Structure formats: structure tokens, C-alpha cells
């Protein structure tokens, strides 16, 4: 008893000493001039465990940059020969982030293929050395561990991760049009099996810690902690480090094995993969699937399969060689540059450039519980905004509330929420038929039917009950905001917030300001949109704003192409093979034929001939026959519950036949049809920039890709022009102009760019 | 029934003599203690308030607390409650007809006796004219029973209330799966053979998998031990500290048991079995032995083990609470006053077991006392790690400022005044019954050790907590 107490106090004493000695070493660091220059990676020693801390200065996240890389090598080269150190823990000092990936700017600064290959090879070498480390290295992961960060982690001997929602692992390189270039393509298949590795690398999906544990991607989970004597995040990281240190010691003492118990299924799969024939079949299957899904527009996925195959079939050295070579080649592609451009655009559109609003929006009221209204309500309550959902009828309101609940419940089914969290989120929603509680609203978003007089009516009703500071936002896809604001007593508080359907899935929010909208109102709207998790573009008011306006001429061309005898299925396949996620005819059905007609008529009036081309009669006749698209069960296609392959609506044939126009053979090849659609879109986008509807090309690209499905591989209309050359597009436009007239006349800004090839939208 | 009573009666004298003997001695020396300077520095001479009735504990008893699955395993909850109630009747000799109301606390309910207070009272021979109800508030259910009684007396609705609590973890309601229950209910409604067959045809084998009640939060699905382990880690409480604290609890409990200080225990002749006279979960071990245990919840690196957690326990308690004037009129010499109390609640995920930290400063403030005024602390010990985390939280200005909205910390209770006769870790913790044990331990300690104010505090599932000031009844 006494002895045990003595041991107890002794062990506490040693703990104390270690603590002291750590402080001592740290002080040593700061004193040494050579080490003062180390800014990204540092280490301290706890007993016989070196704790390597990663902390990129002046940044919220750690990225694998040249500097971080070289300092890491430096640190490891000090640790390996040290007699005092027997094992290593690798940890980030930033809560919520391990390493978010490679530094994209570092890649962008590489000008030649050789430089890119070198970057990859350097990382490969470092990580290979780490993998063969004579002293066990434990990666202690809290927060995002992505791309290069994951490649670093899987080169370590052991991985421990905190089990929280912020901790995600993944290889998102494919989304930037490249591949994991630091040995990831070689190591990942060994770790989680080839099929799972391909799935990760081809989809770029993020995997939560608990799932990663099941896959064998990490070895141990650490529970996140609540508040103690320090803030939860800080203490959790400290705890993660403590646990990692005990495991590092255990590994050095050979008390812990790095081997993982595999389940029966895993063993069977592993066995099956030893058979070359099975592997060939898998490569083939995956390749087929990739080709089908990417329409061969994206080179990265196929290269990833290639590199993985090379590694497995021809050995690790060939694998590494292939990986670095392909990495370099992919990074040079236009697709990769387009995707990286989109990445930068997304970062930009996640910021509020109008600053913080004077009053934080906490209470939101939404008018109209239709598809849009309920969708807006869902993304609002989700983020803790107290939300009133008001509708005119109990049935409409009930449907809307049901939609919100279902949206949240689907998240429960996917285990993204617990049922308790769902209930607590849902309690932020109040459904009602009257204006009770509107006196507390900081923002009212109306999503009533697209009818100017109705919008005027609700605006007047609402202004009678809301407080002075309350913002009135209108969710409309085409009605000019200044016309809606015309009846307002306080037009500086009126703004447009154009959401895209389905609201909980579509990332874009287009915010429309009139010349009277105050800056603070805009700041409020952007803040709310960001809270709702949206990518935000802010555009000036005008018919169709930016998104609808770009779409309209393209839709007009769609009608003309249909009139020229291209059947909707063929048209769909032409557009999807360009890289649009949804075919043009299907898109009309999804949007609603009546809505398309409405918009086309309005914008046709506003812009005149330039928006002509197709005969609106087609849409008018379809509407009169009740072919409103998916919502009515019939449009260009017939929609039936439970039927996967949709069939053409044969009743539309007669309408098309009656409106048939002869195609012009010189501009009717498949490629020409595609480019007629694309160039009208692009031309209109440039015109929006020229007219000042758009503030920046980046917002235009984000709006086009995330709101309208503009092919991401092209990076958006402006990036597309930069990458492929404005001249080529102008040439095409001129050719189509010759055939059809004004609708294809290139706008001045586009001509300017064509005339001076050095002029770029993105400098 | 009567046989049980007589058995209890027969086996009683020996213990009650003990108890009596011990209660005499503190009486004799208390006058000296009262003169000690520590007592004179009290912030307040008494917590009596003008125009508010003083409420007293006449006495309280409990059955021995047994590890579940031992001698009580064939009983039903109301059997255990009955034993406590008859023990109370015997100890206090209170005429049954003066009892105005009976309140019991329980957590895991036996479906057949959902109002266990009523069933037990009837069985224990209380008047069938005395109403009874059952309350539930996780580990502070008995506290809720007592304070409900306090409320009834303070508001003048009652003069005499019996409050208690019971938990029988040896038998818990394991249910059929929801699907099976639905099928059985549908079957009930089916009228014709055809309808019955249609219902039965829907049966699948997985309907038979049962539903077990878990000691887990409904809101977070986290088991309490898991949460305790995280809490200990959040406050950097080491495994060794936890084991040491658990050892202290067991050692003190053993000492108290050996010295006969646990006078609230009444022997219970379990029908068909031997008479149970003492708690059976007290097992002082050694730190070496305890160090060998593997973590029970967070594996393999957690710090909460079976040895430093409270164990599943069967037991019941009961207490006689009266308005002071009524007690005096009936010729009783009460043991203690029940004074100010508070209930608190906080985040059920990360602060599940921090109830005492939140409740302590609040109840002290309410009573106008400071930590220095308290002579006996009786805190519910759910886990060693939980107690030590609470200590650290109470001792942290940072925590007080950032999470409790207070300017300064309340301070840590001095260990020499803390749970000196053992606690839930060693004596056991029948969820619904522990509250009364805490109050009686505080009252008895004040009488034995001398002192005026005791502080009872407990945490409970749902992220709730409770604290109450117990004032010794002047001699």
C-alpha cells in the first residue's frame, strides 16, 4: 500500500520533470539562432518521444508548401540520429486542421513539366524515407487531413484521429484535375485495398474519422473533449497528443502492433485481389464507369487508375515514376487549370467583401412555403437561424414543413445528424399563416409566386409589420428588383436573393442589388447566405440578373435546334458531352416549361432580337397542352414514378413538326450545335461583365458553374476564354452570325480580348 | 408480511443500540466543539427565515445497498421500498395516520408498479388514505422526492411527508422490439382468423431481438461512463488520481462500516434468504490491483475502470420530513433542518456530470454562506473521475468565468470534510435512492463530528444537478 503510493507519487514526479524538461528544450529552441528560422515545423521532446508540431504561420490551415516540406525534412534529420528519441508523434498545432493539402500556389508557380515532376519526386522521397523510419512515427490527426496531408499521414507507422465532424480524411486531388503525387497512389491501395483506394481517389470524397477507422485508414480514434481548464479545441489537441505519445511509446517498446485485425470480408477481398484476372476485371470495370461518368472530359481519373495499376502490376518503382510523371502532366492540363481556377473562385465567393453587417441577422421570416421557400427555411434552421415559415394556406404550409423535416431526416439517415440534433434544429422553425412575430424579424425573404403584383402586395403587407432595420429580400429568378422595390417605403432595404432549386443541394446564391440598395443591406444578405453555406455572387439589377440572363439566349438556341429537327435525346447527349451535368432539353423540363416560357418572354421583351432565335410558340403550345415538365409528369419527356429510363413525350413531336425550320447545313454539325449553345452563353456572360452586371469574372465563373451547370472542366465562361483563346470563340460567333444574324454578334469586350491575346480576364 | 416485520424487529436492536451509542457520544462532546473558533466564524447563525416554516428531518433509513444480482435479485422494486418504509416506521414510531403524503424517486421503472410509491406504501401498511406519487430525475430522483416534500410542507399543504427512493438494477425492463410490439398489438386488434394470419405472416426473426435500457443519454446516445472518461480527460485527471480517490472512498466506507457509523442502514430480512445487514460493495483493494484493470468505456487508453466507478446497485431509502412545530409537538428530536436547495442543468454532452460545480456556488449564494461555513460535504460519487473533474472545475477561475458566468471560482471542498464515511463509489448507488443517503450522511456526520452546515450535491443524467444545505438541529 505504502509502496504503491510511493510509486504513484514517483510517477507523478517524472511527469512533472518531463514537463519541465520540455519547457527547457523549447527555450533552447528560441535561443538558437539557426532554429529561429524554422517557422512551419518544430519539435519538442517528451521523455523519449519527439513531438513534431506543424504550424504554418499567418494561416488558418497548414498546407504542404516547399517551406513546410524542407523544414520537416530538417526536423526529421535531427530526430533520426538522436539517441534520446525512440519514437515520434506528428501533430498540427491548429485545432480543426492537420494538413489541408498541398499548397496550390506552389503548384501554380511551377512553369514547366520538369518542375512539377520534381515537386512530386521530392515529396515521394521524403515520404518513402518516413515510411521506412527506424523510429515509429505516429500521426495525430485532428481536423482536415486531405491530399498531401493524408499522403503524409499514411506514410507514418500509426495514425490516431479525433472522432469529430471536423476530422475528415480524403484525396481531393481529382477535383483539381490532378492526382495524389506524393506516393498516395501507391500507398493507399496497400492500406485500404485497391477498390476502396480507387473510390477515394476517383471521387475525392472526404471520409469521417469513424468511417476511416473501419476502413483501416487510421488505427485509433480519440474522443473529442468538452471544456475543462482550457477551451475544448485546445484541450482536445493536447489530449490527442498525450494519447499519441503513449501509443508512440508502446510502438517503440513493441507493446502495440501496427497490424490490424481484418474482417472476413476484407480477408476475402484481399485474397481475390491477389488473382491477376480479378484485378484486370476491376480496372476494366472502373475505367468503363469513369469514362461514362466523365464523358472523357476529365483526364485525371483515368490517369489515376493507370498509375495505381502500374504500381500494383509493375512494382513500386515504376509506380512512383508513373505517379510523378502523370502528376506533372495533369497539372499542366487546361482542365486542371480550370478546376483550380474554380477552387480559387469558391474561396473568393465564401467571403463577405461588404464587411460585417451592423446588425447580426438572427431571426428570419420566409414568405411562401413552396419548394423554394421551404428549401430556404431548411438551410436557415440548419445553421441556427430562428426561422418563421409563413404561407397563405394550411395545406401549403404543412407541405413546406414536411419538406424541411424530410430534408433534415435524410441527413439523419446518412448519419450526418443524430435524431436529437434534427429535433433541436427543427425547433428553430415556426410555421404560421399570419404575421405574428414579424416585429422581431431581421430579414424577410419572400418566395411567393413569380408575379409582380403579388410581390408588391406582400411587400406592402410585410413593411407594415417589420421593424425598421429589417431587410426585405426577394427570391426571384427574373423579375427586376427595382420594380419590386418600386412600392417600398424603404428601397434601401430591398434586395434580391436568387436561390437555386433544390436549395439544400445547389451551392449558389445570386444576390442582386439595385442602385438604391444600401451597402449594409448587401452585407446582411451576404452574411445570411454565407451562414446558409452558400457560394455567393453579388450582381447588379437588370433583366435576368446574371444567371438567368446567360441561360436565356442559350435556351432560345435550344428551341431553334429542336425546331431544326434535332431530337431532345440527341440534344441532351450533345450538351452533356460538352460537360453540362444536365442535358438542355431535360433542363427545360426540370425548370418547368411554363417558367422557361415566362422568362423567355420577359427577357425577350427586354433585350429584343439578341435573345431571339427559337420560336417561343413551341413553349406556348406545350404549356397550353399541360406539358409543364417534370412537375406535371410530361414535358419533352414523360416522367413516371419509379421508372428510371425516361421516354420522349411523343405528343411534342407534332408541335415540333408544325414549327419545323430547315437546318442550315454549314452550321449544323454536332460540334457546331454544341458551340452555338456554348458561344451564346459565353457571349452573354461577357456582356454582363461589360455592362457592369458582374463585378468580377470570378463571380461570373462561379455563378455559371454552380448555378447553371456550366462545364466545370472549362472553368466557367471567362476561364474558358482565357484558356482556349477569345479569338477562336469570336471566329465561331462570326460564322454563326453569318448564318443567323445578330444573336451571335460578339460583344465589344469579347472582341477586345480577341484583338489583344495578352488581355486576360484572370491576370 | 407480518413475519417480515417481526424479523426486522428482532434483528434491529443490536444495530440500533450501536447507532444509539454513537449518537450519544457526539452529543456529549458537541458543546466543546460549538465553542471552537471555527464555528463562531459562520457567516450566518442559522438559515431560518422569517415567515417561512422550518422543515426538519426527523430521521431517515435505508436498506443495505447491495451490488445488483446479489441477495435482492428476486425482489421487485416495491419490495425493497417496503423494507425501507417499514424500517422508517420502526425507527421513528410515527403513527401512520399522521403521514400526509408519500413521495418516492426511481429511475428505471418497473412497468407493473409505475407509481412505486403507492404500491410500496400500501404494502408497508401505511394508511390507504395517504396519497403517494413517484418522481424521476435520474440520479437525483430521491433529492427531487425530498424537495417536493419540502415544497408541500413549506406551502402549508402538508405537515408530515415521507420521501424516499428505490432502484432495483437486478431486474430491468427488457422490452420486445418495437416491430414485435407493434405486431402483438395488431394481433390484439385482429378479429378473424384471416386477419390474425395476415398479421402473423409479417413476423420476421429479427423482431425477437430485445431492446435493453442503457445507462446512456437519449440526446447524445453516449453512455455515462464514456462521458465521464471524456470529462476526466478534459480536466486532465489521471488514472492514478482516480484510483487513489476510489481507494479513499472504499477505505473510508470500510472504516465507517466497521465503526458502525452508517446508522441509517436498517437490516432487511429478504424473504426466503438471510437477513442482510450491511452494504456489500465496499471492497478496499490496492492501487496495484486497481491499476491492472482495463478501461471500461474508452478502450484501450481511457482512465475510467470498473474499480473507479460506482457499481450497479439495488437499494431503497426513506426519510421522515416534518414541519418543525409538528415534529416538536409530536415529541420528536429532529436530526437536521432541510434548508436552501437548487437544481441546475447544463450541456448534456460535454458537461453531463458537472452538476455539483454549477449547483454548489448557487446554493451557497442563496443561503448566504461560503465554502468555509460548510462542515460536512456529501457529494454523490458517480465516478472518481467525475468527482475530481468537479473539484478542478470548482477550483478554476477560468471555468467559472467562461462557462458559469461567475466572476470567480467557488473553490474546492477541503478533502478532510468530504464524504468522510464513503460515498457512492464504495457504498453503492441505487439511482433513485442515493439522494436520501446523502442527506442522512450529512445530518449524521454533523451530529457525530460536530458542525452546523452540511452541503449535499449530486450530478444526474441529462446534464442536471442538485445541491442542498442541511443544517444540524441544535441540541
Amino acid at each position: 500500500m505504502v509502496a504503491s503510493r510511493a510509486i504513484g507519487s514517483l510517477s507523478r514526479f517524472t511527469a512533472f520533470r518531463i514537463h519541465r524538461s520540455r519547457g527547457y528544450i523549447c527555450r533552447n529552441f528560441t535561443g538558437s539562432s539557426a532554429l529561429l528560422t524554422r517557422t512551419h515545423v518544430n519539435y519538442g521532446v517528451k521523455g523519449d518521444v519527439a513531438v513534431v508540431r506543424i504550424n504554418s504561420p499567418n494561416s488558418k490551415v497548414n498546407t504542404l508548401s516547399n517551406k513546410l516540406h524542407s523544414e520537416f525534412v530538417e526536423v526529421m534529420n535531427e530526430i533520426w540520429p538522436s539517441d534520446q528519441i525512440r519514437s515520434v508523434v506528428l501533430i498540427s498545432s491548429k485545432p480543426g486542421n492537420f494538413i489541408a493539402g498541398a499548397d496550390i500556389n506552389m503548384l501554380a508557380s511551377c512553369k514547366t513539366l520538369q518542375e512539377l515532376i520534381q515537386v512530386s519526386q521530392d515529396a515521394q522521397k521524403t515520404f518513402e524515407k518516413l515510411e521506412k523510419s527506424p523510429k515509429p512515427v505516429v500521426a495525430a490527426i485532428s481536423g482536415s487531413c486531405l491530399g498531401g496531408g493524408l499522403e503524409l499521414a499514411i506514410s507514418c507507422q500509426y495514425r490516431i484521429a479525433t472522432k469529430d465532424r471536423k476530422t475528415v480524411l480524403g484525396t481531393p486531388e481529382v477535383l483539381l484535375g490532378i492526382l495524389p503525387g506524393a506516393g498516395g497512389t501507391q500507398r493507399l491501395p496497400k492500406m485500404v485495398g485497391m477498390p476502396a483506394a480507387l473510390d477515394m481517389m476517383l471521387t475525392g470524397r472526404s471520409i469521417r474519422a469513424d468511417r476511416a477507422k473501419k476502413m483501416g485508414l487510421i488505427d485509433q480514434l480519440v474522443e473529442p473533449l468538452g471544456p475543462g481548464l482550457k477551451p475544448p479545441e485546445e484541450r482536445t489537441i493536447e489530449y490527442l497528443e498525450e494519447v499519441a505519445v503513449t501509443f508512440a511509446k508502446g510502438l517503440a517498446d513493441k507493446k502495440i502492433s501496427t497490424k490490424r485485425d481484418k474482417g472476413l470480408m476484407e480477408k476475402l477481398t484481399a485474397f481475390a485481389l491477389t488473382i491477376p484476372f480479378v484485378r484486370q476485371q476491376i480496372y476494366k470495370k472502373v475505367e468503363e464507369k469513369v469514362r461514362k461518368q466523365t464523358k472523357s472530359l476529365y483526364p485525371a481519373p483515368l490517369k489515376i487508375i493507370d498509375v495505381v495499376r502500374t504500381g500494383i502490376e509493375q512494382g513500386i518503382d515504376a509506380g512512383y515514376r508513373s505517379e510523378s510523371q502523370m502528376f506533372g502532366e495533369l497539372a499542366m492540363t487546361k482542365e486542371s487549370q480550370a478546376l483550380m481556377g474554380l477552387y480559387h473562385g469558391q474561396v473568393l465567393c465564401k467571403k463577405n467583401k461588404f464587411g460585417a453587417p451592423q446588425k447580426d441577422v438572427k431571426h428570419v421570416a420566409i414568405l411562401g412555403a413552396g419548394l423554394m421557400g421551404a428549401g430556404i427555411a431548411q438551410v436557415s434552421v440548419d445553421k441556427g437561424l430562428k426561422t418563421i415559415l409563413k404561407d397563405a394556406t394550411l395545406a401549403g404550409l404543412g407541405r413546406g414543413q414536411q419538406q424541411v423535416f424530410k430534408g433534415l431526416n435524410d441527413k439523419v439517415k446518412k448519419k450526418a445528424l443524430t435524431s436529437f440534433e434534427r429535433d433541436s434544429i427543427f425547433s428553430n422553425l415556426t410555421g404560421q399563416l399570419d404575421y405574428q412575430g414579424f416585429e422581431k424579424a431581421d430579414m424577410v425573404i419572400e418566395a411567393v409566386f413569380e408575379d409582380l403584383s403579388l410581390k408588391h402586395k406582400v411587400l406592402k403587407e410585410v413593411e407594415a409589420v417589420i421593424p425598421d432595420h429589417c431587410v426585405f429580400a426577394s427570391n426571384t429568378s427574373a423579375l427586376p428588383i427595382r420594380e419590386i422595390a418600386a412600392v417600398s417605403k424603404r428601397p434601401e432595404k430591398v434586395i434580391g436573393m436568387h436561390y437555386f432549386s433544390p436549395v439544400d443541394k445547389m451551392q449558389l446564391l445570386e444576390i442582386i442589388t439595385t442602385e438604391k440598395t444600401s451597402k449594409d443591406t448587401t452585407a446582411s444578405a451576404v452574411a445570411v447566405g454565407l451562414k446558409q453555406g452558400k457560394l455567393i455572387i453579388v450582381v447588379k439589377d437588370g433583366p435576368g440578373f446574371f444567371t438567368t440572363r446567360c441561360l436565356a439566349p442559350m435556351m432560345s438556341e435550344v428551341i431553334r435546334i429542336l425546331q431544326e429537327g434535332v431530337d431532345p435525346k440527341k440534344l441532351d447527349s450533345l450538351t452533356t458531352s460538352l460537360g453540362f451535368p444536365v442535358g438542355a432539353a431535360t433542363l427545360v423540363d426540370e425548370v418547368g416549361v411554363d417558367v422557361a416560357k415566362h422568362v423567355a418572354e420577359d427577357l425577350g421583351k427586354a433585350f429584343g432580337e439578341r435573345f431571339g432565335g427559337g420560336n417561343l410558340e413551341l413553349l406556348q403550345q406545350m404549356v397550353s397542352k399541360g406539358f409543364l415538365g417534370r412537375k406535371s409528369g410530361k414535358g419533352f419527356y414523360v416522367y413516371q414514378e419509379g421508372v428510371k429510363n425516361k421516354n420522349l413525350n411523343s405528343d411534342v413531336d407534332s408541335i415540333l413538326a408544325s414549327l419545323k425550320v430547315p437546318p442550315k447545313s454549314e452550321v449544323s454539325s454536332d460540334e457546331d450545335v454544341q458551340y452555338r449553345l456554348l458561344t451564346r452563353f459565353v457571349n452573354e456572360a461577357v456582356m454582363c461583365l461589360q455592362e457592369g452586371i458582374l463585378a468580377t469574372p470570378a463571380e461570373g465563373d462561379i455563378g455559371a458553374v454552380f448555378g447553371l451547370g456550366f462545364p466545370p472542366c472549362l472553368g466557367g465562361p471567362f476561364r474558358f476564354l482565357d484558356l482556349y483563346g477569345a479569338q477562336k470563340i469570336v471566329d465561331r460567333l462570326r460564322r454563326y452570325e453569318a448564318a443567323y444574324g445578330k444573336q451571335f454578334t460578339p460583344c465589344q469586350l469579347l472582341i477586345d480580348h480577341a484583338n489583344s491575346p495578352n488581355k486576360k480576364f484572370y491576370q | 408480511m407480518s413475519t417480515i416485520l417481526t424479523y426486522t424487529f428482532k434483528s434491529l436492536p443490536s444495530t440500533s443500540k450501536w447507532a444509539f451509542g454513537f449518537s450519544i457520544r457526539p452529543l456529549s462532546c458537541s458543546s466543546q466543539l460549538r465553542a471552537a473558533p471555527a464555528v463562531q466564524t459562520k457567516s450566518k447563525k442559522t438559515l431560518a427565515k422569517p415567515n417561512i416554516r422550518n422543515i426538519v428531518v426527523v430521521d431517515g433509513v435505508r436498506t443495505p445497498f447491495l451490488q445488483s444480482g446479489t441477495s435482492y435479485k428476486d425482489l421487485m422494486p416495491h419490495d425493497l421500498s417496503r423494507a425501507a418504509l417499514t424500517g422508517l416506521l420502526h425507527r421513528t414510531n410515527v403513527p401512520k395516520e399522521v403521514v400526509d403524503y408519500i413521495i418516492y424517486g426511481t429511475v428505471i421503472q418497473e412497468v407493473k408498479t409505475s407509481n412505486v410509491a403507492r404500491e410500496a406504501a400500501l404494502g408497508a401498511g401505511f394508511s390507504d388514505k395517504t396519497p403517494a406519487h413517484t418522481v424521476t430525475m435520474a440520479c437525483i430522483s430521491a433529492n427531487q422526492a425530498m424537495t417536493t416534500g419540502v415544497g408541500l410542507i413549506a406551502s402549508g399543504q402538508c405537515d408530515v411527508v415521507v420521501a424516499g427512493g428505490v432502484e432495483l438494477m437486478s431486474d430491468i425492463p427488457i422490452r420486445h422490439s418495437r416491430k414485435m410490439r407493434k405486431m402483438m398489438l395488431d394481433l390484439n386488434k385482429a378479429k378473424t382468423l384471416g386477419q390474425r394470419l395476415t398479421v402473423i405472416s409479417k413476423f420476421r426473426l429479427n423482431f425477437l431481438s430485445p431492446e435493453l435500457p442503457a445507462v446512456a443519454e437519449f440526446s447524445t446516445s453516449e453512455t455515462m461512463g464514456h462521458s465521464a472518461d471524456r470529462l476526466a480527460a478534459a480536466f486532465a485527471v489521471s488514472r492514478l488520481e482516480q484510483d487513489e480517490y476510489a481507494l479513499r472512498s472504499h477505505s473510508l466506507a470500510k472504516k465507517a462500516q466497521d465503526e458502525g457509523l452508517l446508522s441509517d442502514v436498517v437490516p432487511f430480512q429478504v424473504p426466503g434468504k438471510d437477513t442482510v445487514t450491511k452494504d456489500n460493495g465496499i471492497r478496499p483493494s490496492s492501487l496495484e490491483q486497481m491499476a491492472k484493470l482495463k478501461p471500461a468505456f474508452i478502450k484501450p487508453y481511457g482512465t475510467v475502470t470498473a474499480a473507479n466507478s460506482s457499481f450497479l446497485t439495488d437499494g431503497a431509502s426513506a426519510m421522515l420530513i416534518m414541519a418543525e412545530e409538528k415534529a416538536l409537538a409530536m415529541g420528536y428530536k429532529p436530526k437536521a433542518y432541510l434548508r436552501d436547495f437548487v437544481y441546475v442543468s447544463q450541456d448534456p454532452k460535454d458537461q453531463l456530470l458537472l452538476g455539483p460545480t454549477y449547483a454548489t456556488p448557487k446554493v451557497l449564494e442563496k443561503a448566504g454562506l461560503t465554502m468555509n461555513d460548510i462542515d460536512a460535504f456529501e457529494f454523490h460519487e458517480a465516478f472518481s473521475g467525475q468527482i475530481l473533474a468537479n473539484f478542478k472545475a470548482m477550483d478554476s477561475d477560468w471555468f467559472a468565468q467562461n462557462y458559469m458566468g461567475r466572476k470567480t471560482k467557488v473553490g474546492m471542498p477541503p478533502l478532510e470534510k468530504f464524504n468522510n464515511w464513503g460515498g457512492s463509489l464504495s457504498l453503492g448507488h441505487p439511482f433513485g435512492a442515493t439522494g436520501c443517503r446523502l442527506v442522512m450522511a450529512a445530518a449524521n456526520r454533523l451530529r457525530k463530528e460536530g458542525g452546523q452546515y452540511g452541503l449535499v450535491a449530486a450530478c444526474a443524467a441529462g446534464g442536471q444537478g442538485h445541491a442542498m444545505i442541511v443544517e444540524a438541529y441544535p441540541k
Side-chain angles (χ1 to χ4, degrees), chain B residues 59-79:
Chain B
D59 210 342
V61 300
R62 64 180 176 93
T63 67
F65 286 175
L66 301 192
Q67 291 174 319
S68 63
T70 58
S71 299
Y72 297 155
K73 69 177 175 190
D74 297 326
L75 299 178
M76 282 181 65
H78 72 284
D79 293 326

Side-chain angles (χ1 to χ4, degrees), chain A residues 119-240:
Chain A
V119 166
S120 166
Q121 282 174 345
D122 288 349
Q124 282 176 348
K125 273 181 210 138
T126 306
F127 290 0
E128 197 180 11
K129 207 170 165 201
L130 183 62
E131 186 181 32
K132 294 183 176 146
S133 166
K135 298 174 178 178
V137 183
V138 176
I141 303 161
S142 181
S144 43
C145 171
L146 302 171
L150 182 71
E151 292 179 277
L152 172 63
I154 59 175
S155 307
C156 297
Q157 280 68 46
Y158 206 78
R159 281 149 301 281
I160 303 180
T162 47
K163 187 186 164 189
D164 53 22
R165 291 216 173 105
K166 274 191 181 164
T167 301
V168 288
L169 299 93
T171 48
E173 285 89 346
V174 70
L175 303 175
L176 297 174
I178 50 175
L179 52 72
T185 61
Q186 306 304 305
R187 236 165 247 126
L188 209 49
K190 285 183 197 147
M191 183 156 277
V192 297
M194 188 254 282
L198 279 178
D199 177 69
M200 281 178 70
M201 289 189 276
L202 294 175
T203 59
R205 79 176 81 200
S206 289
I207 296 166
R208 282 209 299 263
D210 45 354
R211 173 96 193 94
K213 168 91 166 40
K214 279 189 198 129
M215 287 172 67
L217 200 52
I218 57 170
D219 301 284
Q220 201 61 244
L221 289 172
V222 165
E223 297 294 329
L225 301 181
L229 301 176
K230 287 173 185 172
E233 305 77 33
E234 208 178 298
R235 175 63 194 144
T236 298
I237 282 243
E238 220 178 71
Y239 179 54
L240 174 67

Side-chain angles (χ1 to χ4, degrees), chain A residues 1 3-5 8 11-12 220-232 235 239 243 247 418 420, chain B residues 218-219 226 229-230 233-236 240 244 247 287-288 298-301 350-351 392-393 396 398-399 403:
Chain A
M1 180 67 215
S4 67
R5 288 230 177 221
S11 68
R12 259 179 300 173
Q220 201 61 244
L221 289 172
V222 165
E223 297 294 329
L225 301 181
L229 301 176
K230 287 173 185 172
R235 175 63 194 144
Y239 179 54
V243 172
F247 275 93
T418 67
F420 182 77
Chain B
F218 180 74
S219 58
H226 198 278
D229 205 319
R230 287 197 305 115
F235 283 93
L240 182 69
E244 280 174 349
L247 190 58
L287 285 175
E288 292 88 348
I298 296 186
K299 296 163 188 167
Y301 56 85
D350 290 331
Q351 304 183 33
K392 293 200 180 190
S396 160
W398 185 86
F399 189 84
Y403 285 90

Side-chain angles (χ1 to χ4, degrees), chain B residues 112-123:
Chain B
K112 286 182 200 159
T113 59
S114 63
N115 187 2
V116 68
R118 178 65 173 161
E119 313 310 336
L122 286 173

Side-chain angles (χ1 to χ4, degrees), chain A residues 96-388:
Chain A
N97 176 266
F98 180 68
I99 295 179
D103 181 4
I104 292 190
N105 296 328
M106 170 181 80
L107 298 183
S109 68
C110 294
K111 294 288 173 242
T112 64
L113 176 65
Q114 205 46 50
E115 276 179 76
L116 285 159
I117 293 177
Q118 194 59 45
V119 166
S120 166
Q121 282 174 345
D122 288 349
Q124 282 176 348
K125 273 181 210 138
T126 306
F127 290 0
E128 197 180 11
K129 207 170 165 201
L130 183 62
E131 186 181 32
K132 294 183 176 146
S133 166
K135 298 174 178 178
V137 183
V138 176
I141 303 161
S142 181
S144 43
C145 171
L146 302 171
L150 182 71
E151 292 179 277
L152 172 63
I154 59 175
S155 307
C156 297
Q157 280 68 46
Y158 206 78
R159 281 149 301 281
I160 303 180
T162 47
K163 187 186 164 189
D164 53 22
R165 291 216 173 105
K166 274 191 181 164
T167 301
V168 288
L169 299 93
T171 48
E173 285 89 346
V174 70
L175 303 175
L176 297 174
I178 50 175
L179 52 72
T185 61
Q186 306 304 305
R187 236 165 247 126
L188 209 49
K190 285 183 197 147
M191 183 156 277
V192 297
M194 188 254 282
L198 279 178
D199 177 69
M200 281 178 70
M201 289 189 276
L202 294 175
T203 59
R205 79 176 81 200
S206 289
I207 296 166
R208 282 209 299 263
D210 45 354
R211 173 96 193 94
K213 168 91 166 40
K214 279 189 198 129
M215 287 172 67
L217 200 52
I218 57 170
D219 301 284
Q220 201 61 244
L221 289 172
V222 165
E223 297 294 329
L225 301 181
L229 301 176
K230 287 173 185 172
E233 305 77 33
E234 208 178 298
R235 175 63 194 144
T236 298
I237 282 243
E238 220 178 71
Y239 179 54
L240 174 67
E241 184 180 310
E242 287 165 17
V243 172
V245 164
T246 58
F247 275 93
K249 280 188 180 144
L251 285 165
D253 297 341
K254 307 245 184 295
K255 278 185 192 154
I256 295 167
S257 154
T258 53
K259 282 231 173 75
R260 196 172 68 93
D261 289 334
K262 287 183 176 171
L264 181 65
M265 270 314 285
E266 258 181 284
K267 282 182 188 157
L268 285 176
T269 332
F271 172 73
L273 288 174
T274 57
I275 308 165
F277 175 73
V278 174
R279 292 200 302 268
Q280 296 310 327
Q281 287 303 308
I282 293 178
Y283 299 136
K284 218 175 103 191
K285 260 261 140 54
V286 175
E287 231 171 62
E288 262 170 39
K289 207 174 160 193
V290 164
R291 273 185 210 284
K292 204 174 153 211
Q293 283 184 352
T294 62
K295 317 260 179 217
S296 303
L297 292 168
Y298 299 84
L302 292 173
K303 298 275 189 212
I304 289 172
I305 302 172
D306 236 37
V307 172
V308 168
R309 190 204 326 237
T310 308
I312 293 175
E313 307 300 332
Q314 297 170 32
I316 186 87
D317 291 331
Y320 278 143
R321 267 199 308 280
S322 168
E323 184 187 85
S324 54
Q325 178 71 28
M326 298 294 185
F327 175 80
E329 284 177 17
L330 283 173
M332 300 287 283
T333 57
K334 288 195 169 73
E335 287 82 0
S336 166
Q337 286 167 35
L339 292 170
M340 289 201 191
L342 281 177
Y343 172 79
H344 286 300
Q346 276 176 285
V347 172
L348 209 72
C349 292
K350 282 274 179 199
K351 284 184 186 146
N352 191 347
K353 58 183 175 186
F354 297 88
Q358 282 167 19
K359 195 166 189 304
D360 207 17
V361 172
K362 294 201 173 96
H363 292 86
V364 178
I366 294 158
L367 303 176
L371 215 56
M372 295 304 282
I376 299 167
Q378 189 193 321
V379 295
S380 305
V381 290
D382 209 3
K383 300 299 180 314
L385 289 168
K386 293 273 173 212
T387 306
I388 293 174

